[in-house]
Amino acid sequence: WGSATDGADSSMVQGQLKNVRQIISSARAFAAILEDRSVVTWGDPENGGDCSAVRDRLKSVVHIHSTYGAFAASLDGGT
């Protein structure tokens, strides 16, 4: 619920949001860490809602850090 421009519309990734461990937000986007430690994002692409450019590197994610308009992932092994 809420404003679609602020990330409230997850319909484009709804099928991927299975076995969610944690959801983190930026100002206008969300990132979900799944049980397999991969990441799904949605919301405003300019605020972290599109991780397609780094999706292949988002494996073994243990934590996601957020700012107003971006996300950073800590990976297993400290990278």
Side-chain angles (χ1 to χ4, degrees):
W1 59 90
S3 170
T5 59
D6 289 331
D9 182 4
S10 63
S11 61
M12 297 296 287
V13 296
Q14 194 66 43
Q16 300 173 60
L17 293 174
K18 308 288 187 215
N19 302 313
V20 174
R21 294 180 78 181
Q22 185 177 15
I23 296 176
I24 303 90
S25 67
S26 69
R28 304 181 94 178
F30 291 91
I33 301 174
L34 306 182
E35 245 349 278
D36 66 0
R37 299 194 295 171
S38 63
V39 175
V40 175
T41 59
W42 67 96
D44 183 0
E46 293 184 13
N47 285 276
D50 179 4
C51 67
S52 60
V54 295
R55 186 178 322 276
D56 61 325
R57 293 184 278 176
L58 294 175
K59 309 291 185 214
S60 301
V61 174
V62 293
H63 187 76
I64 293 178
H65 311 270
S66 66
T67 66
Y68 183 84
F71 295 107
S74 296
L75 306 179
D76 190 22
T79 57

